[in-house]
Amino acid sequence: MKEEEVRRHEGASSDGYLAHIFRHAAKELFNEDVGALTYRSLRNKDFQEVTLERDGEVLLRFAAAYGFRNIQNVVLKLKRGKFPYHFVEVLACAGGCLSGRGQAQAEDGRADRALLRQMEGIYAAIPVRPPETSAHVQELYQEWLGGADSPRAQAALHTAYQGPGQSASSRDIKW
């Protein structure tokens, strides 16, 4: 791609696709056009939720859980069956990926806050383009998956909650 063609997804910085998925779900499921999202911090700045409400009823409840402590809380709530979210975005690094251990640090080993602000500014300056409007994404769906609603797309891109059973890979995890 040429540099002038670079686009980013919606989001504050290194977060994932929560904002895009929330807007898409609101439109597809409830015919609601959502503008700016209002995140509400819960336990800390790295555990936030956003809701879509109509007439006092919560239609969608999404959460962003960044950092292992918040991820552990998500898993515990899931195991207890007390999890009110329709979607959760999980990132291992507290503060998101731009704040992760792989980023540049000052000579004293601390995170370089000025560099972090610079990276966030550069990221924010990249124009936003929803993924579904990208010709490259459309081409991938057609050529690789046989269309957006094909059985291959369903198998590769969709999942379903399996319930609280114990899989072989989860036996050794003691949270």
Side-chain angles (χ1 to χ4, degrees):
M1 295 180 90
K2 296 177 185 171
E3 186 172 332
E4 61 267 13
E5 294 176 2
V6 173
R7 298 289 186 264
R8 67 178 177 91
H9 67 283
E10 297 176 77
S13 61
S14 62
D15 51 1
Y17 285 86
L18 184 144
H20 174 73
I21 294 168
F22 186 86
R23 285 189 181 97
H24 185 79
K27 183 66 176 173
E28 291 293 316
L29 299 173
F30 304 104
N31 200 30
E32 294 278 342
D33 290 311
V34 176
L37 300 185
T38 302
Y39 291 86
R40 185 171 63 104
S41 291
L42 299 176
R43 294 176 182 257
N44 55 60
K45 67 180 178 65
D46 285 330
F47 192 85
Q48 301 180 334
E49 76 173 11
V50 61
T51 58
L52 175 67
E53 297 180 24
R54 184 188 301 155
D55 300 325
E57 178 188 1
V58 174
L59 302 175
L60 290 176
R61 185 182 310 269
F62 282 26
Y66 302 159
F68 284 113
R69 181 171 294 145
N70 290 318
I71 295 168
Q72 184 177 20
N73 287 329
V74 165
V75 171
L76 289 172
K77 285 183 177 185
L78 275 169
K79 288 176 87 173
R80 293 181 186 138
K82 298 181 179 193
F83 199 71
Y85 301 103
H86 298 104
F87 175 88
V88 179
E89 176 175 275
V90 176
L91 295 177
C93 296
C97 293
L98 287 182
S99 297
R101 295 295 300 155
Q103 298 304 321
Q105 297 178 355
E107 288 184 20
D108 62 4
R110 295 183 187 183
D112 187 335
R113 298 288 172 209
L115 179 59
L116 178 59
R117 284 191 299 276
Q118 182 182 7
M119 288 187 297
E120 288 172 343
I122 291 168
Y123 185 82
I126 299 171
V128 172
R129 178 174 59 198
E132 67 272 13
T133 65
S134 166
H136 295 292
V137 171
Q138 296 302 319
E139 184 178 328
L140 284 171
Y141 266 97
Q142 289 304 315
E143 291 182 12
W144 186 60
L145 296 171
D149 295 321
S150 71
R152 188 167 180 184
Q154 290 291 319
L157 303 175
H158 295 258
T159 187
Y161 178 64
Q162 298 297 319
Q166 195 174 37
S167 68
S169 61
S170 70
R171 282 188 211 132
D172 297 327
I173 299 173
K174 305 282 189 254
W175 295 52

